[in-house]
Amino acid sequence: MNLTLIVVLVVVLALFFDFTNGFHDTANAMATPIATGALKPRTAVALAAVLNLVGAFLSTEVAQTISGGLIRGEGGQVSITPALVLAGLVGAITWNLVTWLWGIPSSSSHALFGGLIGATIVGTWDAGSIDYSVLLEKIVIPALLSPVVAGLVAYCATRLAYVITHRSDGLADGRSGFRYAQIFSSSLVALSHGTNDAQKTMGVITLLLIAAGLQPAGHPGPQWWVIVACGLAIATGTYTGGWRIIRTLGTGLTEVKPAQGFAAETSTAATILASSHFGFALSTTQVASGSVIGSGLGRSDGSVRWGTAGRIALGWLMTLPVAAVVGGATAVIARLGTAGLVIDLVIAVVVIVVVFRINARRRVTAEHMTARAEAEVASATSAIHITRPVPTVSSEEKQ
């Protein structure tokens, strides 16, 4: 198969992965403000889409981690080929779509890393083709620490928020300024998501261009058209709304009140922005989930549905190895040459069609989320237990 055609096909597949990343991870920013009624569902995903696009232009550190660090090379060239990049993307897309269908907020980032790592090791028959120091420093350690750090920060922020706003005037939590503050904090999460997750696809496309000899290996930064294309792809995917995962993060882990939602979102944004600055390719989904759990524990009358949390944690653990297995399997097929590439593309198309057809039979829509949010707001009482003094009547007044 012509190299130019392969590059074009892989770029298209990478942008589709970026699109799935958008609707898979919309919940990271907008699940809690939708759950508390701070934003209408459609307004929330539109705002997240715009800010994801803006965030894609703010940094390229994470993109360079993928394009210039994770895959080893010799003589100024990387050891991965365009065909293996395609195989890795098939593994990432497969896991992304399956977990989205199940409503599990797994990591799109780790699906991508797993797919690329599996495809590279199997495709080159060389376990040394991966730079394990970069894998450990930039991916594995942040993956382990980020949800814990975000959860602790969210826990402390939630406790502090309820201490500061303890009041005796009867103002319910749902009518406090936190609901409006959530608009700012969720916007910050969406912006930070663009600075981290959009860059991962930029890094993959840049890695592809280097592997194809279309970009010097000494310049791992993404080209301007790659930044624009990836920003638009993730923004479009975000606007479609990943309602299944929004439902899980918004109400499946804990009942979210505005004050704790604000704390969770602020913790998520701070963690992601700091990691983007240092080039850590962490999972924004893990950070957001950790923050929601921490905020649930931080509320005095809050609770966490540990069954759902366990299901999410299992998804985290399975993501990288399962995507690596699928990526490795498709890499074996890709070694067959043109026929193998065609088979890999057919596998990708079949997975996409089957998942979307199943989704069409039992859809979760914006209207479902609107109804849930309205019911929550209508029945919500203050998460801060407000005690009003009971008026006493003197004996003289009784007479």
Side-chain angles (χ1 to χ4, degrees):
M1 186 179 291
N2 182 272
L3 178 61
T4 302
L5 178 58
I6 296 175
V7 169
V8 170
L9 289 174
V10 177
V11 168
V12 171
L13 200 60
L15 292 177
F16 180 77
F17 169 80
D18 208 23
F19 173 81
T20 67
N21 192 348
F23 68 71
H24 196 281
D25 290 5
T26 307
N28 296 343
M30 294 303 168
T32 52
I34 290 174
T36 62
L39 288 169
K40 297 293 184 183
R42 281 296 176 192
T43 303
V45 296
L47 179 61
V50 172
L51 292 171
N52 264 314
L53 178 60
V54 173
F57 291 88
L58 298 183
S59 172
T60 59
E61 293 298 321
V62 175
Q64 294 184 51
T65 295
I66 297 172
S67 61
L70 183 60
I71 310 296
R72 291 185 186 275
E74 296 180 359
Q77 297 296 320
V78 292
S79 57
I80 196 170
T81 65
L84 295 182
V85 175
L86 184 148
L89 284 169
V90 172
I93 289 171
T94 299
W95 183 250
N96 238 19
L97 290 178
V98 169
T99 52
W100 165 71
L101 185 64
W102 290 342
I104 300 175
S106 67
S107 171
S108 300
S109 307
H110 292 165
L112 180 60
F113 299 141
L116 288 175
I117 291 170
T120 302
I121 292 175
V122 173
T124 61
W125 297 114
D126 180 13
S129 57
I130 303 299
D131 190 330
Y132 294 100
S133 63
V134 173
L135 176 64
L136 185 66
E137 177 187 349
K138 298 287 189 178
I139 298 173
V140 175
I141 292 178
L144 296 175
L145 293 182
S146 59
V148 176
V149 171
L152 287 173
V153 173
Y155 173 85
C156 295
T158 302
R159 301 289 292 182
L160 182 63
Y162 283 122
V163 169
I164 292 174
T165 59
H166 185 74
R167 38 200 318 156
S168 58
D169 58 3
L171 183 63
D173 185 44
R175 295 180 57 192
S176 70
F178 282 113
R179 177 162 291 167
Y180 302 103
Q182 274 194 281
I183 299 174
F184 168 77
S185 59
S186 60
S187 297
L188 193 59
V189 175
L191 184 70
S192 64
H193 182 260
T195 67
N196 199 284
D197 276 46
Q199 289 187 56
K200 291 158 190 170
T201 306
M202 295 179 203
V204 170
I205 295 178
T206 302
L207 182 65
L208 166 71
L209 297 176
I210 293 173
L214 300 175
Q215 181 170 325
H219 300 279
Q223 300 178 28
W224 68 268
W225 68 267
V226 176
I227 297 174
V228 172
C230 291
L232 290 172
I234 199 169
T236 304
T238 299
Y239 183 69
T240 63
W243 307 114
R244 293 177 181 276
I245 298 176
I246 287 176
R247 178 177 60 184
T248 300
L249 273 185
T251 59
L253 278 172
T254 182
E255 294 299 327
V256 181
K257 302 294 182 181
Q260 74 183 94
F262 172 75
E265 292 150 12
T266 305
S267 305
T268 299
T271 305
I272 296 172
L273 287 172
S275 69
S276 296
H277 176 73
F278 291 107
F280 294 154
L282 53 72
S283 165
T284 56
T285 303
Q286 290 182 355
V287 174
S289 300
S291 294
V292 171
I293 292 172
S295 69
L297 294 173
R299 207 179 87 205
S300 59
D301 63 340
S303 62
V304 174
R305 298 184 179 94
W306 292 110
T308 302
R311 188 164 61 100
I312 292 173
L314 181 62
W316 291 353
L317 293 174
M318 292 177 61
T319 295
L320 198 149
V322 170
V325 169
V326 177
T330 50
V332 171
I333 298 172
R335 292 174 65 90
L336 299 175
T338 301
L341 290 176
V342 172
I343 293 171
D344 280 347
L345 287 171
V346 170
I347 291 173
V349 171
V350 169
V351 169
I352 293 167
V353 171
V354 169
V355 169
F356 278 101
R357 283 183 66 87
I358 294 174
N359 175 65
R361 295 175 187 168
R362 39 193 181 93
R363 293 175 60 85
V364 178
T365 65
E367 288 69 30
H368 292 133
M369 300 311 302
T370 301
R372 276 175 172 261
E374 289 175 348
E376 169 67 18
V377 172
S379 63
T381 57
S382 176
I384 308 169
H385 293 288
I386 300 167
T387 57
R388 283 185 168 182
V390 179
T392 57
V393 181
S394 66
S395 58
E396 296 175 352
E397 290 175 333
K398 289 180 180 178
Q399 297 173 357

